[in-house]
Each structure stands twice: as C-alpha cells, then as structure tokens.
Amino acid sequence: MRTTVGIIGAGPAGLLLARLLHRAGVASVVLESRDRAYVERRQRAGILEQGTVDVLRAAGAGARMDREGLPHHGIELRFDRRRHRVDFPALTGGRSVTVYAQTEVCKDLIALQLAEGGPLLFGAEALAVEGADTESPRVRFRREGREDVLECDYVVGCDGFWGVAREAVPRAVSRVFERTYPYAWLGILADVPPSHDELVYARHDRGFALLSMRSPSVTRAYLQVPDGTDADDWPDEEIWDELDRRLETDDPEWTLRRGPVTAKSVTPMRSYVHEPMRHGRLLLAGDAAHIVPPTGAKGLNLAVGDVVTLARALVLLRDKGDAGGLDAYSETCLRRVWQAERFSYAMTTLLHRAPDATPFDDRIQLAGLDRLTTARSAETDLAEAYTGFPLDEQDRP
C-alpha cells in the first residue's frame, strides 16, 4: 500500500489533517489501532477555541457543531467566596469559545472521511515507523492478524504519547521537557442541566473545582484530588457535597444542581514537550509532541494548530516546490506550543492548592486572582490566551 501522507492515529489531529489534505487534493491514509466505536466515545476535551471553530467550518466539518455546540462568551472565576466574570469578546475584539466535545468532533470528521476522503483503517495497529530519515519512510502495521506496510512520502504521528511515532525519533536528537503535578482531576458526567451557563473555575482552600458542561442537559464537573486517586473511592453524593463546598459564594441566588452521575474518571496532570517535532520525513502532531494540563483547555486546540500548519506546508511544497514550511514546521509549532504551556501552567498553579502549600502560598494565589479581576491588562491576557490567538499568529516570527 502506498500514499503521499501516512497518518498514524484517528484522533482529532489525524482526522482533521486527513480532511484538510483531502480538500487540497493530497492523498493520505489514516491508520487507527482502535475500532470506530472506541474512537467515537472516548471522552477528552470539550472547549474549542475561536480558531479551531473557524478551521472546522472552513473544512466543511462545522455544520453539526454550529447546530449543537454551545458558544461561550466568557468564564467565571471564583475565589474567597467572590464571583468575577471574564468577558471574552469585550477583551479580545470579539473572539469566544464553543463547548463541543472531542467525541463529537471525531464523529463528524470520521463520517466525512469515510464518505469523501482517503482510506481510514480502523483496527490497524502501527508497529513501527521505518526509514524516517530517508525519502521513502514507511509504517509497518498489523490489521486483522496480518502485517502490512504503508509506504509514504511523509509520515505524520498523531498517535499520542504512547504511540510508535515519537519512539522513531532518535534519542540523540530528542529533547524532552516535562513537569508532573502532585494532584489530578476527578471528573464526572451527570444527567443534570448545568448550574451555570458558562464555565466556572474555582480556587478554594480545599482544592480546585471546575463546573462545565457537555450539553444543555449534561453537566461535566471536576475536583482536584491527590495524584493516584481511585475514582471508585468517591461516592456520588460525596462528589456533589465537595463541589458545593468548593464552589461556595456569597451570592444566595446561585445553587448547584445535582443529578445522576453517569461516568467518573481520574485525569493525571502533566506538562510535556518533545523537541523537535520533525525528524526527516516524520512529523509529530498533537499529544505525540506535547501535553498540557487541562486547566487551560489547550490540548485539542494545539493539535489543530499543528495540523493546519502542516497541511499548509505540504500544499506549499506540492504547488510551488517550496519546502520552507516543512523545514520550519517544528519551530513554527513550538512557538505556539510553549505559549500554551505557559498559559496552562499559570492557570494550573494559580487555581490548584499544592499539598505542601503554606499560608504565604495561599496569599500569593489570592493576590494573583485579585490582580486578574481588577487589572484589565491581566484580564485581557487571560482572555486572549483562553480564546486562542489566530492560527496565523504562529506563522509570525
């Protein structure tokens, strides 16, 4: 089997790249180790930046998002029993975000790929990337019990942190930057309408809490818990009680709506960047190259930035014989990645209480939040980072 671009992984990065390439007339094949049902139900991100929304629309993948997604024009910060709304459009010149789950993005892109695009092979486990530093890289994979080879002009690893693509970059040229956090998120899905029409980020002496949603009838909520926590150790009512405590406010009109919990999980918190994002004709995108703590809602959106940059570079090479975009791919993407890492780290350390936090640390956090809610410049920086800089921003020096 042969194609121009071999894509490992049918998450948002791989699927969107395949869609962008198809619309540009560049052939690709997508290999995904899991089956379609698994890909379409795995819970991940739910916040789409303005740039991501624009890209999905331009790619012809925004119709259902526009019908069912929930536009959000701000977030609420809670601390010291206070409430403060951050107005995104007023601070960013009109930008906002949309709540639309990654599962739904993947469903939309899968349907389009199967109907219009190149081959999308489920149950195709990539075993190795070979010849990355040659002009004929290949992906060895197993499907239906048989091994096969996908020969390509370029291989793109969208297969996450544990995938084979990143392992194909020689250790001698790899640089890894990472930080692990001493806490995690206990997340729930509940069949109850959200208690607020926008996301609520709460800093509390007992730990961080986030009130989110997946639809007008489904609540998504998170609690900071110690790293290594087992979700089954938290009874449903105890979760609701803790959310109530951490979201407390002096506003008597606000109440937390409770309902049946349908899913519980624990998400570790870490920051990770692999440099470079290119080795020969192997290019990394999404979680294969970088991971951010979910506080800043950046993971899926960073993956979109990667593949938009890559698709442009491949089309430039085909149309004009100009390899400059590909040559600059890693550097271009990493500028955006490190800004997202900075923002996610700042949000995480500002809102989460470390296990060894002192009264001094608590005061520093409260001072930081007070600054955000009283200084327009600080609030603007948060709003611009949260809604996402325009994707063209990463192409500038």
Side-chain angles (χ1 to χ4, degrees):
M1 183 182 298
R2 175 160 184 80
T3 191
T4 303
V5 181
I7 302 171
I8 308 174
L15 291 168
L16 180 58
L17 177 60
R19 178 65 181 171
L20 295 174
L21 294 177
H22 168 71
R23 288 172 69 88
V26 178
S28 71
V29 173
V30 182
L31 305 176
E32 168 56 48
S33 62
R34 304 284 191 163
D35 61 26
R36 179 176 179 178
Y38 179 91
V39 174
E40 292 186 338
R41 68 171 180 263
R42 54 186 170 195
Q43 293 293 329
R44 292 291 189 272
I47 303 295
L48 307 184
E49 294 176 356
Q50 183 71 63
T52 297
V53 169
D54 295 343
V55 166
L56 289 171
R57 286 173 179 156
R64 193 162 69 93
M65 174 190 69
D66 285 336
R67 290 196 307 271
E68 302 177 12
L70 305 174
H72 278 210
H73 301 294
I75 58 172
E76 181 172 292
L77 299 175
R78 291 191 186 182
F79 61 100
D80 205 21
R81 302 184 65 88
R82 296 162 53 189
R83 302 177 65 178
H84 177 84
R85 182 175 183 268
V86 179
D87 185 334
F88 290 157
L91 295 162
T92 64
R95 295 206 306 275
S96 59
V97 298
T98 296
V99 175
Y100 191 62
Q102 176 173 313
T103 50
E104 307 312 306
V105 174
C106 286
K107 289 175 187 176
D108 297 341
L109 290 170
I110 286 170
L112 286 169
Q113 186 71 9
L114 293 176
E116 304 174 8
L120 167 53
L121 306 182
F122 291 104
E125 179 188 6
L127 303 175
V129 176
E130 300 172 343
D133 54 355
T134 72
E135 294 185 358
S136 303
R138 41 192 258 160
V139 182
R140 192 159 44 83
F141 68 98
R142 181 189 298 116
R143 188 167 188 247
E144 298 177 346
R146 299 193 308 272
E147 284 198 19
D148 203 345
V149 171
L150 176 63
E151 297 181 347
C152 324
D153 293 333
Y154 294 92
V155 174
V156 183
C158 303
D159 50 346
F161 180 79
W162 300 107
V164 301
R166 186 173 52 85
E167 294 300 318
V169 181
R171 294 183 184 275
V173 302
S174 296
R175 299 182 68 196
V176 169
F177 306 85
E178 59 186 327
R179 174 182 290 271
T180 56
Y181 300 85
Y183 35 74
W185 277 11
L186 170 64
I188 64 166
L189 285 170
D191 284 338
V192 59
S195 302
H196 193 56
D197 56 2
E198 294 177 337
L199 273 68
V200 178
Y201 287 78
R203 186 268 174 203
H204 194 276
D205 286 344
R206 296 177 65 89
F208 169 75
L210 172 60
L211 197 58
S212 182
M213 63 199 71
R214 281 295 178 264
S215 75
S217 60
V218 176
T219 288
R220 183 73 159 151
Y222 300 92
L223 287 170
Q224 175 188 340
V225 294
D227 189 30
T229 293
D230 186 336
D232 292 334
D233 291 340
W234 280 78
D236 295 355
E237 281 308 306
E238 188 174 334
I239 293 173
W240 288 118
D241 289 345
E242 192 62 24
L243 284 167
D244 231 343
R245 283 189 285 265
R246 298 188 192 183
L247 292 162
E248 64 186 358
T249 172
D250 286 334
D251 184 351
E253 296 184 3
W254 186 86
T255 57
L256 178 67
R257 295 173 180 165
R258 302 185 180 213
V261 174
T262 59
K264 286 188 285 190
S265 62
V266 172
T267 302
M269 305 282 283
R270 64 189 306 229
S271 300
Y272 175 90
V273 180
H274 180 281
E275 296 185 4
M277 291 175 58
R278 178 188 179 185
H279 173 66
R281 294 199 172 204
L282 168 65
L283 303 108
L284 305 179
D287 285 359
H290 42 73
I291 296 170
V292 291
T295 325
K298 289 285 159 260
L300 182 154
N301 297 292
L302 274 183
V304 169
D306 293 345
V307 299
V308 167
T309 301
L310 181 52
R312 289 174 180 166
L314 289 167
V315 172
L316 180 66
L317 177 63
R318 182 200 62 186
D319 292 348
K320 297 186 177 181
D322 184 349
L326 276 179
D327 292 340
Y329 170 73
S330 183
E331 180 184 356
T332 300
C333 289
L334 284 169
R335 286 199 297 270
R336 185 179 180 88
V337 167
W338 278 112
Q339 286 301 318
E341 292 283 356
R342 174 198 65 82
F343 175 68
S344 299
Y345 172 81
M347 288 283 284
T348 299
T349 54
L350 180 67
L351 293 166
H352 292 71
R353 194 167 192 274
D356 59 350
T358 66
F360 178 86
D361 298 324
D362 293 335
R363 291 289 187 172
I364 289 293
Q365 283 186 318
L366 292 173
L369 286 161
D370 187 64
R371 172 72 178 172
L372 273 178
T373 56
T374 57
R376 187 176 179 85
S377 59
E379 193 175 17
T380 298
D381 185 63
L382 185 155
E384 288 182 341
Y386 197 98
T387 58
F389 297 103
L391 290 177
D392 284 344
E393 201 59 41
Q394 65 184 337
D395 297 327
R396 299 174 191 169

